[in-house]
Amino acid sequence: MARPRVLSGIQPTADSFHLGNYLGAVRQWVTMQETYDAFYCVVDLHAITVPHDPAELRRRSRVAAAQLLAAGLDPERCTVFVQSHVPEHAELAWVLNCLTGMGEAGRMTQFKDKSAKQGESAASVGLFTYPILQAADILLYQADRVPVGADQKQHLELTRDLGQRFNHRFGETFTLPQPHILKEVEKITDLQDPTAKMSKSSSSPQGILDVLEAPGTLRKKVMRAVTDTGTDVLADDDNKPGVTNLLRIQSALTGTPIPELEARYAGQGYGTFKKDVAEAVVEAFSPIRERTEKLLANEAELDRLLAIGAERAGAVARGTMATVRDRIGFLPRA
Ligand code: TRP
């Protein structure tokens, strides 16, 4: 039987992925390439929904792709590609735009959050239709599952609604995808403000652990992470959010269950514990950083790998779009 298909996307909006991206998305993607027919996409079309610098976008798209490959995505086992290399994303997005109600799009909470930052009227129409482009990404590949963070649930619901609407109006065309949400994804928080999510847009540099940063800096940030009053290394979201976050990080990176870690550090205070968390982070990130640097040093090779991905993705996308064009009533080109 054919493997179920997954598709996911990540924005090239930073010079490095951070720990939240790594645990919440990238590492999960690497595992899923073994059991799914997996498509992973650097979503540069989404990245221009807010003001951007062209040279920076180009660099960050390569950095994002290189980190995905460096983290273990294998072009022999999955398809890694850049969204803008497959023009069908924008084409299907247009069709779906025309099936989406203004009110429906206006209910997307992420747009409300993101546009509030710039002032609602300064936000682009592209930012408003961002979730519809995301729906196109997913439906184009007939994905069965979409590995994402819990904050993407509403976008997945919209994707299913739009797929279903198209199917009802124009005939069965799209697979309706299920979200694939991991618990720990929701839980990595800012080292300086452990009640807030670790996030590129809202965390301070001291609150974020970047995959590509130097081991010395990573160690410093962990050692300076906000811990809580008391000395016990115990998981307790309400009273010890800082320690709990570090426990989650160490547990996720080393595979050791939290109760086992609690027992290990009983009576030892925070110092030893934090040192070990720092080492776990450095050990996880160093090989990825080194491989990323190697890939970025050979741009031609990186671009060749991305062209292979674009070819495979394009073949699927063209197939879906041919059906969509026909169903929607576009005239075939002679
Ligand atoms: N909106 C997603 C995020 O911020 C990124 C994304 C774009 C995506 N297209 C996608 C995720 C398609 C899954 C599938 O995380």
Side-chain angles (χ1 to χ4, degrees):
M1 217 189 75
R3 295 174 166 207
R5 179 162 294 164
V6 298
L7 176 127
S8 197
I10 196 158
Q11 287 206 54
T13 44
D15 292 318
S16 171
F17 293 147
H18 60 68
L19 180 68
N21 304 135
Y22 177 68
L23 292 176
V26 179
R27 193 175 71 160
Q28 204 187 143
W29 294 7
V30 174
T31 310
M32 292 181 94
Q33 71 181 337
E34 308 299 342
T35 45
Y36 289 90
D37 176 18
F39 286 73
Y40 300 123
C41 163
V42 174
V43 292
D44 52 352
L45 299 180
H46 282 102
I48 67 165
T49 56
V50 292
H52 79 286
D53 174 73
E56 195 172 71
L57 177 62
R58 211 170 281 124
R59 185 182 76 243
R60 288 175 168 181
S61 294
R62 283 208 182 88
V63 169
Q67 284 176 99
L68 293 179
L69 298 168
L73 291 183
D74 176 356
E76 310 245 303
R77 282 183 285 179
C78 71
T79 302
V80 179
F81 68 105
V82 175
Q83 188 186 29
S84 66
H85 287 175
V86 182
E88 283 76 8
H89 288 250
E91 193 181 358
L92 180 58
W94 176 255
V95 173
L96 298 177
N97 275 331
C98 298
L99 293 181
T100 310
M102 286 292 287
E104 190 176 29
R107 282 192 291 277
M108 296 293 117
T109 57
Q110 224 170 42
F111 171 74
K112 288 183 199 162
D113 295 348
K114 286 190 188 176
S115 61
K117 280 180 200 153
Q118 322 167 42
E120 178 122 14
S121 61
S124 71
V125 175
L127 188 66
F128 186 64
T129 62
Y130 175 118
I132 303 166
L133 177 60
Q134 181 170 350
D137 298 340
I138 297 165
L139 296 173
L140 204 46
Y141 296 91
Q142 311 287 3
D144 300 294
R145 293 181 146 231
V146 183
V148 280
D151 62 343
Q152 297 296 307
K153 272 185 199 157
Q154 199 187 28
H155 291 173
L156 262 290
E157 275 160 32
L158 178 72
T159 303
R160 291 174 58 87
D161 288 347
L162 292 175
Q164 198 162 32
R165 193 168 306 155
F166 188 102
N167 288 351
H168 281 156
R169 286 200 200 158
F170 304 110
E172 279 304 312
T173 305
F174 294 120
T175 303
L176 303 183
Q178 300 284 345
H180 179 98
I181 290 160
L182 275 197
K183 276 273 174 287
E184 70 183 8
V185 172
E186 304 162 44
K187 291 289 187 180
I188 301 301
T189 60
D190 187 319
L191 299 181
Q192 292 302 317
D193 176 8
T195 56
K197 187 174 159 175
M198 185 180 287
S199 142
K200 190 226 148 211
S201 55
S202 60
S203 300
S204 72
Q206 293 310 312
I208 279 207
L209 297 168
D210 275 330
V211 171
L212 299 182
E213 82 195 313
T217 321
L218 290 170
R219 287 195 184 96
K220 247 184 241 153
K221 286 187 185 179
V222 173
M223 296 311 290
R224 288 178 191 163
V226 168
T227 33
D228 314 283
T229 50
T231 51
D232 294 331
V233 178
L234 292 173
D236 175 349
D237 269 313
D238 296 328
N239 301 307
K240 288 176 162 274
V243 168
T244 308
N245 188 40
L246 293 178
L247 276 168
R248 280 209 184 90
I249 291 171
Q250 192 182 4
S251 174
L253 290 175
T254 62
T256 314
I258 288 179
E260 210 173 295
L261 295 173
E262 289 172 332
R264 184 184 302 168
Y265 298 107
Q268 295 201 43
Y270 294 150
T272 328
F273 166 57
K274 282 173 128 180
K275 242 186 223 151
D276 288 356
V277 176
E279 280 328 297
V281 172
V282 168
E283 249 175 64
F285 286 179
S286 289
I288 303 177
R289 191 193 68 248
E290 284 158 20
R291 284 195 291 264
T292 301
E293 283 165 2
K294 241 189 225 162
L295 280 159
L296 290 173
N298 187 353
E299 239 166 48
E301 173 60 8
L302 177 60
D303 291 353
R304 186 187 71 84
L305 294 173
L306 292 175
I308 294 173
E311 197 41 61
R312 277 208 296 262
V316 178
R318 285 190 294 274
T320 304
M321 264 325 286
T323 310
V324 168
R325 277 201 212 100
D326 177 56
R327 298 261 155 92
I328 205 104
F330 291 158
L331 200 61
R333 196 173 71 179

